[in-house]
Amino acid sequence: MYREMMLQVQFNKQEGRIFTDLSIGADVLSAQELRSNTLLAIKGFELGSQGFLVSKEIGEDWLKQFPSFDAILKPYMNGKDLVEGIWDRYVIDFNELTESEASEFPHPFAFILDRVKPERIVNREDRTATKWWSFRRSGEKIRKALAGLDRYIATTRTAKHRVFQFLPQGMISESKIVVIADADAFTLGLLSSAVHNVWALSSGAFLGPTPNYNHTEAFNKFPFPAAKETQREKIRALGEQLDAHRKRQQALHPGLTMTGMYNVLERLKELGVDGLGVEPLTAKEKQIYEHGLVGILKQLHDELDAAVAEAYGWPVDLSTDDILTRLVALNAERAAEEAQGHVRWLRPEYQNKGASNSKQASLAVDTVDAVDASTASTASTRQWPKDLPAQAAALTEVLGNLAAPASVEEIAGLFSGKSSKKRVDEMQRLLETLGAVGRAVRAEGELWSSAD
């Protein structure tokens, strides 16, 4: 007698893009830049020389003797400082002062006269050589974006753990830091969530084994939820608590770093409830756990992840693939909305300041002006150079002055003379070249902006 055997066959369905290794997943590369996020994420200041930096002791001595120096002497932070939670240097920032005006601050001027001028006057770049007392890049975009804010969000471009925190207005962040010109703890809370972390890891590159935060991909394309005000307030409160908790513990325990705290936080996640198969915390990890109150840090992140999931209307326990699939779909939805003129601005008073107040109040959204009128009037007198190097320099400067991404035709119209098809084609090729070397960014559609 034969015993009948029943075999159960299970079928699993997975949707997404098929990659070269035959894996399937969300097509993150298809995501588009969103106008709602434009003009806010910018790389930090590019000094061009460490000679602009002075120790905290020297800076404070100058400020004690000459209080007026606070106009050009600013606290300075690089990526390492941000992770460690300290700043111990000032930077001499003459910004757009003339050489004569800068010399009215004798001690700082003499300081960089000795340390910066010798290396700058032989530089092949015109601005760097002729304006040797100023940063290599003016940072005009950052200054404009931060005007009127009392704080802003910052994250280290290359870091093991993606941590966002508030820095005070007036703090000069260097170019290894991504500056996000928003003072709202709701934004900080969203960016600090697991949802955004998954997106950032999938859309960014790696410097060796370390993730790199590419703000044009990770921030500009990230779709924020259409959260209710009660949900926003909850995320905002948790964002404030998270930022305050880490800063407080670092202030109480010098030497306690963000990397250390988040390394231990990851170990706690590995240990789980019972810790089976995982070595317990080492003595050093236990000290970091106690100094950083990492148990509270974990609780804040857990509550924040739950609140963010609720704002999206999603379960809190989604897999990485599910999160990415939903974000890609939401990005496409937001892009379609924006094509119809519905833009969910993060900072409408800054990003869309050209719109009428009445229209903003009735719609809460509007389309972005492609080019600021004051910029257009200034640039319209510019001649289009004949030689390629001068064309590249002129185009780079105009991109840096745009108030918002613009089309090739609009950019061509900012130069005097008839905007012919030949000139537009010429600019298109040059913009693509500038994009390839990281000096320009192609935004949603065929719009262009500066990479700075």
Side-chain angles (χ1 to χ4, degrees), residues 194-254:
V195 169
H196 183 70
N197 190 48
V198 165
W199 178 264
L201 284 172
S202 68
S203 60
F206 282 77
L207 186 61
T210 309
N212 186 64
Y213 192 78
N214 180 348
H215 62 275
T216 59
E217 298 290 326
F219 183 85
N220 290 1
K221 297 182 179 181
F222 180 67
F224 283 75
K228 299 175 183 177
E229 188 54 38
T230 53
Q231 294 170 334
R232 296 177 67 90
E233 284 298 330
K234 188 174 184 180
I235 293 170
R236 185 174 288 122
L238 287 166
E240 294 282 13
Q241 292 174 47
L242 178 65
D243 189 61
H245 173 79
R246 295 178 307 203
K247 285 184 169 68
R248 180 181 60 249
Q249 297 312 120
Q250 285 190 296
L252 289 172
H253 303 282

Side-chain angles (χ1 to χ4, degrees), residues 120-165:
R120 295 287 291 272
I121 59 174
V122 296
N123 195 286
R124 296 177 64 182
E125 187 178 54
D126 183 62
R127 171 187 164 83
T128 303
T130 58
K131 296 199 69 173
W132 57 265
W133 61 92
S134 299
F135 296 166
R136 183 168 181 264
R137 295 284 178 263
S138 67
E140 180 182 357
K141 281 190 173 183
I142 304 178
R143 299 179 198 276
K144 186 184 294 185
L146 295 183
L149 298 180
D150 60 354
R151 62 183 183 178
Y152 61 90
I153 301 168
T155 187
T156 308
R157 187 175 296 278
T158 303
K160 181 179 179 181
H161 305 289
R162 183 54 45 208
V163 178
F164 296 85
Q165 54 188 300

Side-chain angles (χ1 to χ4, degrees), residues 68-69 94 99-107 109:
S68 63
F69 282 12
F94 286 129
E99 183 175 359
S100 176
E101 290 169 336
S103 68
E104 294 177 8
F105 300 89
H107 295 73
F109 187 79

Side-chain angles (χ1 to χ4, degrees), residues 247-394:
K247 285 184 169 68
R248 180 181 60 249
Q249 297 312 120
Q250 285 190 296
L252 289 172
H253 303 282
L256 180 66
T257 68
M258 289 289 185
T259 301
M261 284 191 284
Y262 278 88
N263 280 342
V264 173
L265 179 57
E266 288 301 311
R267 289 282 292 132
L268 290 182
K269 292 178 181 178
E270 290 175 6
L271 288 167
V273 177
D274 52 22
L276 291 177
V278 182
E279 291 295 324
L281 296 180
T282 65
K284 182 178 180 180
E285 288 172 336
K286 287 180 180 177
Q287 183 183 60
I288 294 173
Y289 177 88
E290 293 169 358
H291 287 178
L293 297 180
V294 179
I296 294 177
L297 180 65
K298 182 179 184 300
Q299 180 181 345
L300 287 171
H301 272 289
D302 289 345
E303 291 179 10
L304 186 58
D305 289 344
V308 169
E310 180 187 354
Y312 279 103
W314 301 344
V316 72
D317 56 351
L318 288 174
S319 68
T320 295
D321 286 341
D322 284 339
I323 290 173
L324 290 177
T325 299
R326 290 172 184 241
L327 287 174
V328 169
L330 186 57
N331 171 273
E333 181 182 318
R334 292 282 189 268
E337 284 182 351
E338 294 186 349
Q340 299 300 316
H342 184 167
V343 183
R344 301 171 186 265
W345 305 106
L346 293 177
R347 281 184 60 201
E349 75 287 350
Y350 169 66
Q351 295 169 288
N352 196 35
K353 58 187 175 184
S356 65
N357 292 333
S358 59
K359 193 170 186 181
Q360 283 279 11
S362 61
L363 295 178
V365 292
D366 204 340
T367 53
V368 68
D369 296 327
V371 182
D372 184 77
S374 61
T375 302
S377 62
T378 302
S380 61
T381 60
R382 179 185 293 278
Q383 295 290 327
W384 181 241
K386 294 182 179 180
D387 61 295
L388 187 60
Q391 289 174 354

Side-chain angles (χ1 to χ4, degrees), residues 8 56 59 85 87 156 159 237 275 313 329 376 381 411 444:
Q8 285 189 333
K56 198 171 186 178
W87 70 273
T156 308
T381 60
I411 295 170
E444 172 262 325

Side-chain angles (χ1 to χ4, degrees), residues 383-439:
Q383 295 290 327
W384 181 241
K386 294 182 179 180
D387 61 295
L388 187 60
Q391 289 174 354
L395 197 52
T396 300
E397 184 174 345
V398 166
L399 287 174
N401 289 328
L402 290 176
S407 67
V408 182
E409 291 77 9
E410 289 168 332
I411 295 170
L414 298 179
F415 292 84
S416 62
K418 186 178 180 180
S419 180
S420 64
K421 184 179 185 303
K422 179 181 178 182
R423 177 185 292 181
V424 171
D425 291 344
E426 199 173 53
M427 283 189 180
Q428 179 67 44
R429 290 192 296 271
L430 190 50
L431 282 167
E432 290 172 357
T433 300
L434 291 174
V437 297
R439 302 298 295 276

